Each structure stands twice: as structure tokens, then as C-alpha cells.
Amino acid sequence: MADDTEKTWGPKHFIQNTPCARNSFLYGMGGGAVGGFAYFLWTSNPRRSYHALMISFTATVLLYWVPCRYQYAQKRIKQRMINRGLKTHIAMQGTPEAELLASAQEPGSKS
């Protein structure tokens, strides 16, 4: 029997631990339901309305997922750059190189 602490892969795990997944699927379900229902009202054909539901679900999920993940990746890149700069700043405190950089950045100094 597997331990409770062991992580298993599954849809619930994916949606809970992946940024943007929850909102993407929720908006996709809503968009799919509206698209399928609207198509059913327009054509009265259940089979084609199901196809419209799946197409609108897929389109909504992808149209929400891609920009959200792109923005998430950009934010992660900026966070890494800030962390690297802070680590460098902390490591250089009190060294002669830090004093040279500080004197070069003072207003009125000519480099």
C-alpha cells in the first residue's frame, strides 16, 4: 500500500499544483457549456452541439492557458534575476569590489 505522503499523478494533482490550470479548465467548462447550448438552440442538433461544446471548450482553455503561462514564465524569469542580484549583493558586501561599485554609482563621480 502506498504512503499518504507519496505524490501520485492524476487530474486532481495536476489542477491543484499547476499554475493557471484551475482557471483555464473552469473558464473552458463555462465557455464550452455556453457554446454547446447556443449551438443547440441554433441548430437543434445534439450531436453537432456536442462538437461545438468540445471545440469551444478546447479553444477557451487554450486561449486562456497560453497567455497565462507566458506571463507566469516572465514573472519567474524576473524573480530569478532579482534573487541572483540579491545573492550577489549579499556576497559582495564588505569586499573591495563592492566599495568600487558603490563609489562608481555615487552621484557626481566621473567614471
Side-chain angles (χ1 to χ4, degrees):
M1 187 173 233
D3 293 339
D4 290 336
T5 59
E6 182 180 322
K7 291 187 177 180
T8 58
W9 189 91
K12 182 179 176 185
H13 182 263
F14 172 76
I15 290 173
Q16 286 178 342
N17 296 329
T18 305
C20 304
R22 180 179 178 268
N23 286 343
S24 295
F25 282 108
L26 286 174
Y27 288 138
M29 286 186 277
V34 169
F37 185 67
Y39 199 81
F40 178 74
L41 289 177
W42 185 41
T43 63
S44 298
N45 186 343
R47 184 170 184 233
R48 292 184 78 192
S49 65
Y50 176 74
H51 290 219
L53 181 143
M54 292 307 295
I55 290 169
S56 57
F57 168 78
T58 306
T60 306
V61 167
L62 290 177
L63 288 173
Y64 188 82
W65 175 272
V66 171
C68 183
R69 289 297 292 186
Y70 179 76
Q71 290 173 356
Y72 178 75
Q74 293 297 316
K75 187 173 22 170
R76 292 282 306 214
I77 290 169
K78 288 178 185 177
Q79 287 174 345
R80 284 191 212 124
M81 289 173 57
I82 291 170
N83 285 342
R84 191 178 317 133
L86 287 173
K87 286 179 184 179
T88 304
H89 176 73
I90 290 169
M92 288 182 64
Q93 278 183 336
T95 62
E97 292 86 7
E99 294 172 8
L100 285 174
L101 286 173
S103 65
Q105 293 176 355
E106 289 178 2
S109 67
K110 296 181 180 178
S111 299

